[in-house]
Amino acid sequence: MINSLCYATSFVAKSCCIFISGVTEGWLPQHDLSVVEKNADPEQMLLFYLRKRLRLTGTKYGCGGGGCGACTVMISTYEPASKKIRHYSANACLLPICSLYGMAVTTVEGVGSTRTRIHPVQERLAKCHGSQCGFCTPGMVMSIYTLLRNHPEPTSEQMTAALAGNLCRCTGYRPILDACKTFCKDSVCCQSKANGRCCLDQEEDLFDREEKESVGLFSPDEFQPLDPTQEFIFPPELMRMAENQPKRTLVFHGERIMWISPVSLDELQDLKAAHPDAPLVVGNTGVGPDMKFRGVFHPIVIAPARIPDLNVVERMSDGLTIGAACSLSLMKDVLRNAVSELPEEKTKIFCAVLQQLRTLGGEQIRNVASLGGNIISRKSTSDLNPILAAGNCMLNLASQGGKRWIPLSDIFADGVGNNTIMPEEVLVSVRIPHSRKGEYISAFRQAPRRENALPIISAGMRVLFEEGTDKIKDLSIFYGGAASTTICAKQTCQTLIGRYWNEQMLDEASRLILNEIVLPDSAWDGKAEYKKTLIVSLFYKFFLEVLQSLKTMDPCHYPGIPMEYESILEDFQTKMPQSIQIYQNVELSQSPQDPVGRPIMHQSGIKHATGEAVYIDDIPSVDGELFLAVVTSSRAHAKIVSVDTSEALKEPGVFDVITANDVPATNEFHYSDDPEIIFARNKVICVGQIVCAVAADSYAHAKQAAAKVRIEYEALEPVILTIEDAIKHNSFFEPKRKLEHGNVDKAFETVDHILEGEIHIGGQEHFYMETQSVLAIPKGEDKEMDVYVSTQHPAFIQEMVAASLGVPANRIMCHVKRVGGAFGGKLLKAGLLASVASVAANKTNRAVRLILSRGDDMLITGGRHPFIGKYKVGFMKDGRIRTVDAKYYINGGCTPDESVLVAEVCLLKMDNAYKIPNLRCWAYACKTNLPSNTAFRGFGFPQSGLVTETWITEVAEKTGLSPEKVREINMYKEDEQTHFKQKLDPQNLIRCWNECMEKSAYYSRKTAIEEFNKQNYWKKKGIAIVPMKFPFGLGSRYLSQAAALVHIYTDGSVLLTHGGIELGQGIHTKMIQVASRELNIPMSYIHFCETSTTTVPNACASVGSAGTDVNGMAVKDACQTLLKRLQPIINKNPKGNWKDWIKEAFEQSVSLSATGYFRGYDANMDWEKGEGQPFTYFLYGTACSEVEINCLTGDHKNLRTDIVMDIGCSINPAVDIGQIEGAFVQGIGLYTMEELKYSPEGVLCTRGPDQYKIPAVCDIPEQFNVSLLSSSQNPYAIYSSKGLGEAGLFLGCSVFFALRDAITCVRNERGLKKTFALNSPLTAEQIRAACIDDFTKMMTNDESSSSIPWARMHET
């Protein structure tokens, strides 16, 4: 043990001293608090310490692995030697509190609050409409705030880099970046010109708009200035402590782990000799996730960050020495300074390393992750190790036996991480040499997302030529991602020495590399072929880079590369997007006090930005509260033989284990033939099904005990995982649905052409930022229970909980203040999880909190349905489509959930914007052994609509017409009927199409793209314009009924409540706008508290974009009832004010409380006849998107998107435009990025932001324009508005088809057959495979190719 090292107690500190900004204690305002934690547990992360110990709940749990940025805080440290204070952002979920000794932590509460002052960052983010659900907002605030503390006038590049580690699922990032631009010194605001014209936009006609239209969603004049002198100072106590106290070894004992932080290298060497297996932890970005997610356990952890030798930065005559404990951010700064000061010839290795550091993780990760940790971990997915190895970097190792230097490449010499570093050795520093004359070095990576994503393949390559020649003297090629660690193509490099840098060498090298680097075909990610292609493609890019460099050195001897190849040498960069939003101004006659139609800030926007907005897990703990951790099935289909909880019950802090036997009443809910199940009893039907749950005194204890529950299974057959499996076994949920219109078979006999095809569309994870959350509190009498839950449907939660407990619904009070995102994912599953928590609360008679981890949430809850569409299309040679026969299969999972309804919507909306005279389509909901899939924004239309647009595009290819021409030919053009005989007027569809054509300058840009593609071989651009008809309606009247309750108090203030849920769509803000107009009072008089089953019973779910439509009608009804009662008093005293009238009404005993009610929209659908009126009205829209692809890697860049949407008369343009943009970016994710991967056993492998990539700042279009169609009326909804939350998602497929357009150009240029299939998501892997060339042909051992791409070099 550690005692063997004979520590003198006087030199060992056992208490952890930290300063926290933003603490509120009792009546005291927010202030700095010195925290001395005497029993600091090494397993306690800062996030949970802040939230549970200090009650600073502004810092959010989003993923627990440093991948989403919701928990971002600012860490400040003082360096006595330099007298400098360093501020940096970090993920609180990865920082052990033990690592923060002597540091200051600033949380969002410490930045500003409504109780003290609001900081400009918080104010601008809110007023620029940069929050919707608001859950990610505190993290955004902290990333921006930290940047401004270091750079009060940042560049736009610094700003986008600062946000690379933060994810948002709601906004689409544009309004967040708008707020950021107001701080940037190089900001060019589109609204700064007198004529309102964006100087960065070259299309004049985008702004040829009527005077009635507006482009400003916020007024910069309202912002308070940023004054850096007003920021909190670094705590003087910590300065004195750093300067005066001698550094002491820190030792912290937790329940299971000892943490030791030595202060000298000698001490560290002694520790490693005594504990050779103990890991060294600096930033905890490697060891932390391993222990948290992968079951790795280390009883002793050594933290060497305070040892001077490990923090050295030294410039040598032949290179740089950087300490192993130096952060990657510090390394980046050091290298950047060296590059700016040294001759270019010496800094080629530095530049290559900087290239990788630019996109490695987010700022929060780079700020704490250490250089040494990156090297020693030997992770396959390292961005740095390949380039450091190729660059001949040296490692300085130390142990009790002395010091030695070894080449970094040695630890990867045998390709599987040869253990040349002894367990007792410590990596002290890394020597990065200067590059030499005639030496060229490059680094490469390709990842699922350009920033903050682990690479699929990374590479480092270096060549040294004999002086004055292109003859290879030395060559190094290293790859990451190809094996279990970094791997060297050693034999290839040795063979090529002496070769000249020409096409013959390239051809030989490509074949040698492929033979030497052998990838396992059974990798879970299924990317073996793509990785092989990347391995040779990246070497080819290196080949081109070196050729071009040789030309620069000696243009007479080296011709370089053809001009059309040059663009491939430039990687895609993230730029600050430019945008414009156009909406209709309110009438001049409208009262200034009337807020309807104005861009009003989200009612909770400021509270989102200050962290004061309360979500379920922010509710203060209740005395005796228990935490719940669920135990889930590890088998897809099996009989439960036994459940052994004995070991779990022995764990510390465990209170009880809850099983199906503890459910007092209903455990299975039969909404259809197959039940929805709370706890599995006798068998499991998917991986992730809840078998039992452990209740303990902390989440950590509950989780540790849950891992000790042992379940014995007996396999059952069949195990059905895919749609193909379900078809094979005839496994479907009933009923199957069919729609038929016209005479399909006869029409096929008369058409000119017939095409048949199939498209596969992957599922999508909701990835709401707030995971499923429940707090169930027994009230102690009459079996009453308060249930606080993150849900879209409180009445349904109430019903399920009451049924499971066997009590009347009136005993269950369900409360929802706000939800941190839902997108359809918090309906039935939220009810099951609320029942789990409520059953536990009922059994233990304690309050029970169930907050799913991100991994458990993704494993348990399901998402958008994976989909296969099969189609047969008959069309004429002029592009007219005459007949379609289609079959749709959706993967419903193991229980019905909403799957049959989703299948029905697929059929009803499959026509999108097109009149199809003869149509037959079937929809099947497949029953499989996956977690049941559920509602998701768009509800089936994003899948069936993509199928339709796919065959539209294929018809264009077959006829030789352009896709936009085929779309125009077949679009609804006049008053017509849909395929289910509902009337529609497509006038606004045509208007959206024409306006988008005009505003996007489609045809002139298409011409420019064609010219670009002629001049660039390895990069291509594509453009697509896609129309949309989105029917609105919930299918039945009872599903769209709504109620509201409005109280007026004697001081004139108004309390408003209704049945809608605030999910981020701004419904409460809009309802206050409605009440303000109807009562003719300022919005400031009106307050919304919460949605609760105690105030509005039997409320329908907040789904289907209907929240504002139906609840707005109910609020209007209640307000009109009140106003009618007040009217006689107002008439008697017309010059009085609101407060006078209310006081008089009370004195006259006039009721100041009213309910409002809306019966719902009449709707019907007869599936037997295949006709009905299931929808109330239609939204229309068009999106035009332009992209650029890299044909060598499959990477792409979204260049520009223009959207025109018909949403009637917007109640709040800022909220509505934000909804359109957020939905569109979620659509980009669905169609191009988000990939769910399952193992052959049915286990979801993509269970967090590390493996599952949603769009980030780098993925939104560089130019993003949204225009609301003017002069649009809708007689069916409140104030002529339209429900629009879902519609914009489908328009994301314009990016999919722009990518297809670029790929088509590649294939045409290369003489490839025209017919090709693209599935969704259209990832880099698919793009690369579709851009067939000699490298892809090598994967299939196709030696017949005659058109070697590099052979074209001498043609120019």
Side-chain angles (χ1 to χ4, degrees):
M1 285 299 293
I2 199 71
N3 296 338
S4 65
L5 297 175
C6 304
Y7 278 112
T9 307
S10 59
F11 295 109
V12 177
K14 298 180 180 179
S15 298
C16 188
C17 180
I18 316 168
F19 261 71
I20 312 285
S21 288
V23 177
T24 305
E25 295 178 297
W27 54 269
L28 290 172
Q30 287 172 331
H31 59 284
D32 287 355
L33 176 69
S34 174
V35 178
V36 179
E37 187 59 50
K38 293 188 177 178
N39 299 304
D41 189 334
E43 291 186 88
Q44 175 100 73
M45 296 300 130
L46 175 62
L47 173 62
F48 296 100
Y49 188 79
L50 291 172
R51 293 182 57 78
K52 300 303 177 187
R53 187 70 177 267
L54 301 182
R55 295 298 315 142
L56 293 173
T57 56
T59 309
K60 304 300 183 196
Y61 169 84
C63 70
C68 73
C71 65
T72 303
V73 295
M74 185 177 82
I75 308 295
S76 302
T77 60
Y78 175 70
E79 180 49 58
S82 64
K83 307 285 185 187
K84 285 185 178 178
I85 296 164
R86 179 180 169 230
H87 305 293
Y88 59 91
S89 58
N91 296 117
C93 67
L94 290 179
L95 289 177
I97 56 170
C98 297
S99 69
L100 298 172
Y101 183 86
M103 299 181 187
V105 178
T106 303
T107 67
V108 70
E109 293 92 343
V111 172
S113 77
T114 56
R115 295 179 61 176
T116 53
R117 62 165 193 137
I118 298 163
H119 191 275
V121 172
Q122 296 165 321
E123 178 199 36
R124 296 187 197 185
L125 206 53
K127 289 183 177 177
C128 292
H129 317 287
S131 74
Q132 288 184 19
C133 86
F135 200 81
C136 73
T137 310
M140 296 285 180
V141 167
M142 293 312 302
S143 289
I144 301 166
Y145 175 78
T146 307
L147 175 65
L148 294 176
R149 287 299 299 265
N150 292 316
H151 304 280
E153 287 190 329
T155 64
S156 58
E157 288 78 12
Q158 287 174 317
M159 191 63 85
T160 53
L163 292 180
N166 292 77
L167 297 178
C168 173
R169 193 55 154 166
C170 294
T171 64
Y173 301 100
R174 190 275 310 162
I176 296 169
L177 294 168
D178 272 0
C180 292
K181 285 181 203 174
T182 65
F183 294 106
C184 294
K185 63 182 177 185
D186 57 354
S187 174
V188 182
C189 179
C190 293
Q191 300 164 47
S192 63
K193 292 293 181 85
N195 62 359
R197 181 168 290 154
C198 170
C199 60
L200 295 178
D201 191 280
Q202 297 174 16
E203 310 301 341
E204 300 278 316
D205 53 354
L206 178 61
F207 299 94
D208 290 342
R209 51 192 176 79
E210 301 172 17
E211 288 298 315
K212 291 184 177 180
E213 290 179 337
S214 180
V215 295
L217 290 174
F218 59 89
S219 175
D221 300 338
E222 295 178 8
F223 300 154
Q224 56 176 316
L226 176 69
D227 184 356
T229 64
Q230 297 302 302
E231 303 295 359
F232 291 111
I233 62 169
F234 188 81
E237 296 95 320
L238 290 184
M239 279 191 186
R240 287 194 293 272
M241 193 171 90
E243 289 178 334
N244 302 329
Q245 287 188 12
K247 275 191 176 181
R248 296 183 293 175
T249 299
L250 304 175
V251 180
F252 301 107
H253 293 268
E255 280 187 7
R256 307 191 304 161
I257 291 177
M258 181 192 293
W259 174 285
I260 309 167
S261 177
V263 294
S264 72
L265 183 57
D266 288 342
E267 189 183 355
L268 176 61
Q269 290 167 186
D270 292 343
L271 280 167
K272 277 300 279 180
H275 307 286
D277 294 332
L280 302 189
V281 171
V282 177
N284 202 42
T285 59
V287 173
D290 282 347
M291 293 181 71
K292 189 180 293 188
F293 303 127
R294 299 174 191 101
V296 177
F297 179 70
H298 299 287
I300 295 176
V301 171
I302 303 170
R306 300 184 306 139
I307 298 173
D309 301 67
L310 271 66
N311 288 282
V312 67
V313 173
E314 190 176 357
R315 285 199 186 182
M316 323 286 285
S317 60
D318 59 346
L320 271 174
T321 298
I322 299 179
C326 289
S327 71
L328 299 182
S329 289
L330 176 60
M331 180 186 183
K332 190 177 172 186
D333 292 341
V334 169
L335 291 175
R336 193 188 290 121
N337 290 338
V339 168
S340 66
E341 295 169 16
L342 292 170
E344 184 181 345
E345 188 178 88
K346 291 187 174 185
T347 62
K348 290 172 187 173
I349 299 174
F350 300 169
C351 289
V353 174
L354 280 171
Q355 164 85 358
Q356 300 300 71
L357 286 172
R358 190 172 54 82
T359 52
L360 192 159
E363 290 274 10
Q364 298 95 319
I365 295 292
R366 291 195 295 269
N367 287 335
V368 298
S370 68
L371 170 60
N374 209 286
I375 293 167
I376 294 297
S377 65
R378 298 189 186 92
K379 290 280 173 69
S380 167
T381 50
S382 171
D383 281 303
L384 288 183
N385 286 345
I387 188 62
L388 293 174
N392 282 337
C393 294
M394 300 292 291
L395 303 182
N396 178 13
L397 303 175
S399 66
Q400 285 182 331
K403 293 186 179 182
R404 65 188 180 112
W405 288 88
I406 66 166
L408 187 147
S409 57
D410 278 11
I411 67 173
F412 306 118
D414 64 359
V416 288
N418 187 24
N419 198 12
T420 52
I421 300 177
M422 297 297 108
E424 67 276 8
E425 285 186 305
V426 174
L427 173 59
V428 178
S429 60
V430 181
R431 172 86 49 85
I432 307 176
H434 289 151
S435 51
R436 295 167 283 173
K437 186 177 181 181
E439 188 173 40
Y440 302 93
I441 186 158
S442 295
F444 308 98
R445 75 191 300 269
Q446 177 58 38
R449 188 175 59 209
R450 199 168 305 113
E451 295 179 356
N452 196 21
L454 295 172
I456 298 166
I457 287 287
S458 59
M461 302 181 193
R462 179 185 61 85
V463 63
L464 176 66
F465 294 122
E466 292 188 7
E467 192 171 346
T469 73
D470 64 349
K471 188 177 181 180
I472 299 172
K473 183 178 181 180
D474 190 25
L475 182 64
S476 294
I477 303 171
F478 285 83
Y479 291 105
S484 60
T485 188
T486 299
I487 192 167
C488 176
K490 195 172 183 180
Q491 293 173 8
T492 301
C493 295
Q494 289 173 348
T495 303
L496 294 176
I497 289 173
R499 304 285 199 278
Y500 288 93
W501 199 258
N502 55 28
E503 290 90 338
Q504 288 74 27
M505 183 282 301
L506 172 62
D507 188 50
E508 183 181 6
S510 300
R511 300 179 198 287
L512 286 169
I513 289 170
L514 278 179
N515 287 333
E516 183 172 358
I517 309 292
V518 180
L519 274 74
D521 288 321
S522 58
W524 70 264
D525 60 6
K527 296 183 186 295
E529 191 165 303
Y530 179 41
K531 289 183 176 184
K532 289 178 189 174
T533 309
L534 285 175
I535 282 169
V536 286
S537 297
L538 294 178
F539 181 76
Y540 175 57
K541 187 177 178 187
F542 180 57
F543 173 77
L544 295 178
E545 285 186 2
V546 173
L547 276 182
Q548 196 70 346
S549 298
L550 287 169
K551 177 187 175 182
T552 306
M553 181 187 74
D554 187 355
C556 297
H557 286 88
Y558 305 105
I561 63 175
M563 191 178 295
E564 65 265 32
Y565 282 29
E566 290 179 5
S567 60
I568 197 62
L569 304 182
E570 296 295 320
D571 289 331
F572 294 131
Q573 305 290 331
T574 300
K575 296 179 182 175
M576 179 68 80
Q578 299 301 323
S579 63
I580 196 77
Q581 303 83 42
I582 300 175
Y583 61 94
Q584 193 164 5
N585 277 329
V586 299
E587 296 291 337
L588 292 174
S589 57
Q590 182 170 320
S591 164
Q593 184 177 280
D594 180 354
V596 172
R598 303 184 196 276
I600 304 293
M601 180 179 69
H602 195 293
Q603 173 233 5
S604 296
I606 295 291
K607 288 178 286 185
H608 290 159
T610 60
E612 293 168 274
V614 176
Y615 300 84
I616 300 302
D617 198 32
D618 301 336
I619 297 170
S621 58
V622 180
D623 188 37
E625 174 181 294
L626 297 174
F627 295 81
L628 213 58
V630 293
V631 179
T632 58
S633 163
S634 60
R635 303 290 184 86
H637 192 198
K639 179 183 176 183
I640 297 175
V641 177
S642 65
V643 179
D644 181 2
T645 62
S646 57
E647 290 302 312
L649 288 166
K650 294 176 187 175
E651 286 290 300
V654 173
F655 194 87
D656 207 344
V657 177
I658 317 299
T659 69
N661 297 327
D662 299 311
V663 180
T666 306
N667 185 56
E668 298 184 357
F669 295 85
H670 288 266
Y671 299 116
S672 63
D673 294 342
D674 297 88
E676 306 291 343
I677 304 164
I678 300 176
F679 291 104
R681 193 186 296 271
N682 299 316
K683 70 172 183 175
V684 293
I685 51 177
C686 72
V687 174
Q689 185 175 5
I690 296 172
V691 178
C692 60
V694 178
D697 61 357
S698 73
Y699 176 72
H701 284 153
K703 197 73 177 167
Q704 286 163 16
K708 297 291 178 74
V709 174
R710 295 288 172 258
I711 304 171
E712 187 182 343
Y713 299 101
E714 186 179 295
L716 294 174
E717 294 292 337
V719 176
I720 300 171
L721 300 178
T722 65
I723 290 171
E724 292 88 346
D725 292 341
I727 295 170
K728 178 182 174 184
H729 289 91
N730 196 30
S731 178
F732 302 107
F733 293 114
E734 296 295 337
K736 306 177 186 75
R737 290 300 192 195
K738 176 188 178 185
L739 275 180
E740 190 161 4
H741 170 72
N743 191 328
V744 174
D745 296 325
K746 188 174 180 181
F748 273 118
E749 296 172 6
T750 61
V751 296
D752 294 336
H753 302 287
I754 295 174
L755 68 81
E756 294 186 61
E758 183 177 306
I759 180 172
H760 294 234
I761 303 167
Q764 186 179 25
E765 163 61 29
H766 296 93
F767 213 97
Y768 28 70
M769 295 305 293
E770 177 195 30
T771 59
Q772 300 275 356
S773 306
V774 188
L775 175 60
I777 307 175
K779 298 183 77 172
E781 57 179 314
D782 298 326
K783 297 185 178 179
E784 291 181 351
M785 189 176 289
D786 277 320
V787 183
Y788 298 86
V789 58
S790 181
T791 182
Q792 297 169 250
H793 199 177
F796 184 63
I797 303 293
Q798 178 189 42
E799 176 189 314
M800 289 190 78
V801 169
S804 64
L805 298 182
V807 300
N810 62 6
R811 308 301 165 86
I812 307 300
M813 278 57 91
C814 187
H815 309 266
V816 185
K817 180 83 171 176
R818 61 176 59 81
V819 173
F823 315 112
K826 292 181 175 176
L827 293 162
L828 193 143
K829 284 295 196 306
L832 293 172
L833 290 162
S835 299
V836 168
S838 299
V839 166
N842 178 71
K843 183 183 182 185
T844 60
N845 201 31
R846 299 270 197 104
V848 168
R849 193 178 296 252
L850 171 57
I851 312 296
L852 288 190
S853 68
R854 176 63 62 186
D856 282 347
D857 191 297
M858 293 184 73
L859 180 70
I860 292 167
T861 60
R864 190 185 299 280
H865 294 76
F867 186 100
I868 293 179
K870 300 183 179 185
Y871 51 87
K872 180 181 176 184
V873 181
F875 56 98
M876 310 306 287
K877 57 187 176 186
D878 61 3
R880 286 177 298 133
I881 293 160
R882 309 309 299 158
T883 181
V884 172
D885 193 355
K887 287 186 178 180
Y888 304 138
Y889 299 90
I890 66 170
N891 192 329
C894 59
T895 66
D897 201 287
E898 306 271 11
S899 294
V900 171
L901 194 54
V902 170
E904 291 176 356
V905 171
C906 286
L907 295 184
L908 292 171
K909 299 186 179 183
M910 61 79 62
D911 59 328
N912 188 22
Y914 309 109
K915 177 69 176 175
I916 307 165
N918 303 283
L919 171 66
R920 179 170 58 225
C921 46
W922 285 88
Y924 305 85
C926 300
K927 182 179 178 181
T928 64
N929 295 115
L930 292 182
S932 53
N933 288 306
T934 187
F936 198 141
R937 195 180 206 166
F939 206 77
F941 174 58
Q943 294 103 308
S944 65
L946 186 74
V947 178
T948 298
E949 294 299 334
T950 295
W951 51 251
I952 284 279
T953 307
E954 289 181 2
V955 167
E957 289 168 355
K958 292 283 188 184
T959 57
L961 297 168
S962 63
E964 67 273 9
K965 191 56 66 181
V966 175
R967 290 185 169 103
E968 284 178 352
I969 290 167
N970 292 286
M971 216 179 287
Y972 285 111
K973 293 184 178 63
E974 50 197 43
D975 288 357
E976 302 193 53
Q977 286 190 342
T978 64
H979 54 295
F980 48 87
K981 296 184 173 60
Q982 179 162 355
K983 291 181 180 177
L984 83 154
D985 174 6
Q987 178 190 345
N988 284 354
L989 170 65
I990 304 298
R991 286 184 61 204
C992 286
W993 176 264
N994 291 337
E995 278 200 25
C996 192
M997 274 282 184
E998 184 183 341
K999 283 181 161 57
S1000 67
Y1002 179 81
Y1003 285 111
S1004 63
R1005 283 170 55 210
K1006 189 174 180 180
T1007 302
I1009 286 168
E1010 288 168 358
E1011 192 56 35
F1012 175 91
N1013 289 343
K1014 286 177 188 172
Q1015 296 174 9
N1016 292 272
Y1017 185 79
W1018 290 111
K1019 279 189 177 175
K1020 299 292 181 187
K1021 289 184 179 180
I1023 191 168
I1025 185 165
V1026 178
M1028 176 190 68
K1029 167 181 67 66
F1030 189 88
F1032 170 94
L1034 299 176
S1036 300
R1037 180 188 284 276
Y1038 79 92
L1039 292 174
S1040 59
Q1041 60 184 306
L1045 178 62
V1046 180
H1047 300 315
I1048 306 175
Y1049 295 95
T1050 53
D1051 65 351
S1053 64
V1054 176
L1055 181 64
L1056 164 68
T1057 186
H1058 57 87
I1061 302 295
E1062 179 56 74
L1063 309 165
Q1065 82 284 39
I1067 189 171
H1068 297 340
T1069 307
K1070 287 183 173 181
M1071 293 306 97
I1072 291 171
Q1073 286 178 269
V1074 170
S1076 172
R1077 167 178 276 192
E1078 293 301 327
L1079 297 174
N1080 195 23
I1081 58 174
M1083 288 179 68
S1084 58
Y1085 284 25
I1086 306 165
H1087 177 64
F1088 183 93
C1089 180
E1090 67 170 5
T1091 306
S1092 170
T1093 54
T1094 62
T1095 52
V1096 177
N1098 313 317
C1100 292
S1102 290
V1103 295
S1105 314
T1108 296
D1109 277 46
V1110 300
N1111 291 289
M1113 290 291 201
V1115 169
K1116 181 180 179 183
D1117 182 45
C1119 291
Q1120 288 181 343
T1121 299
L1122 288 166
L1123 206 59
K1124 189 175 180 182
R1125 294 176 192 167
L1126 292 171
Q1127 203 58 54
I1129 295 168
I1130 296 170
N1131 291 343
K1132 279 186 181 177
N1133 181 19
K1135 293 185 178 178
N1137 60 39
W1138 175 254
K1139 292 182 179 179
D1140 296 337
W1141 298 331
I1142 298 307
K1143 185 179 178 185
E1144 180 63 25
F1146 178 72
E1147 290 173 356
Q1148 290 187 23
S1149 300
V1150 174
S1151 171
L1152 294 174
S1153 177
T1155 57
Y1157 186 65
F1158 176 62
R1159 286 194 66 207
Y1161 294 115
D1162 192 18
N1164 62 84
M1165 182 65 200
D1166 186 331
W1167 284 98
E1168 292 297 317
K1169 294 182 179 177
E1171 60 184 62
Q1173 304 285 314
F1175 304 117
T1176 309
Y1177 56 82
F1178 298 88
L1179 294 90
Y1180 302 102
T1182 300
C1184 175
S1185 290
E1186 180 183 347
V1187 300
E1188 185 176 342
I1189 67 170
N1190 180 323
C1191 305
L1192 270 180
T1193 63
D1195 195 14
H1196 81 271
K1197 175 78 177 159
N1198 298 322
L1199 298 178
R1200 176 172 168 176
T1201 292
D1202 296 88
I1203 298 174
V1204 177
M1205 280 281 283
D1206 162 35
I1207 62 165
C1209 296
S1210 174
I1211 292 175
N1212 187 328
V1215 167
D1216 290 343
I1217 288 172
Q1219 284 287 290
I1220 292 166
E1221 292 167 334
F1224 177 83
V1225 171
Q1226 207 169 46
I1228 288 177
L1230 168 66
Y1231 295 124
T1232 70
M1233 293 178 63
E1234 298 179 36
E1235 205 170 11
L1236 291 167
K1237 292 281 187 180
Y1238 291 87
S1239 76
E1241 295 74 39
V1243 181
L1244 179 67
C1245 301
T1246 45
R1247 292 209 294 271
D1250 271 2
Q1251 304 94 20
Y1252 185 81
K1253 296 301 175 187
I1254 68 169
V1257 167
C1258 59
D1259 299 299
I1260 72 169
E1262 284 182 3
Q1263 195 171 327
F1264 197 2
N1265 305 317
V1266 176
S1267 179
L1268 303 184
L1269 193 72
S1270 61
S1271 307
S1272 171
Q1273 298 293 315
N1274 178 26
Y1276 302 101
I1278 186 162
Y1279 305 148
S1280 268
S1281 64
K1282 292 186 178 183
L1284 78 154
E1286 295 181 286
L1289 189 139
F1290 170 73
L1291 294 177
C1293 79
S1294 60
V1295 173
F1296 180 98
F1297 289 104
L1299 290 169
R1300 184 184 177 109
D1301 184 52
I1303 293 166
T1304 301
C1305 175
V1306 174
R1307 294 174 65 88
N1308 289 344
E1309 185 177 74
R1310 297 178 186 179
L1312 299 165
K1313 62 180 183 178
K1314 285 200 171 180
T1315 305
F1316 65 102
L1318 292 175
N1319 294 321
S1320 173
L1322 185 45
T1323 58
E1325 179 180 7
Q1326 259 204 93
I1327 293 170
R1328 183 65 186 96
C1331 296
I1332 295 173
D1333 55 28
D1334 267 40
F1335 303 121
T1336 58
K1337 288 175 181 177
M1338 283 180 177
M1339 303 311 114
T1340 55
N1341 296 315
D1342 183 352
E1343 305 292 342
S1344 61
S1345 170
S1346 59
S1347 58
I1348 299 173
W1350 51 85
R1352 296 182 64 222
M1353 288 179 186
H1354 298 301
E1355 294 173 12
T1356 55

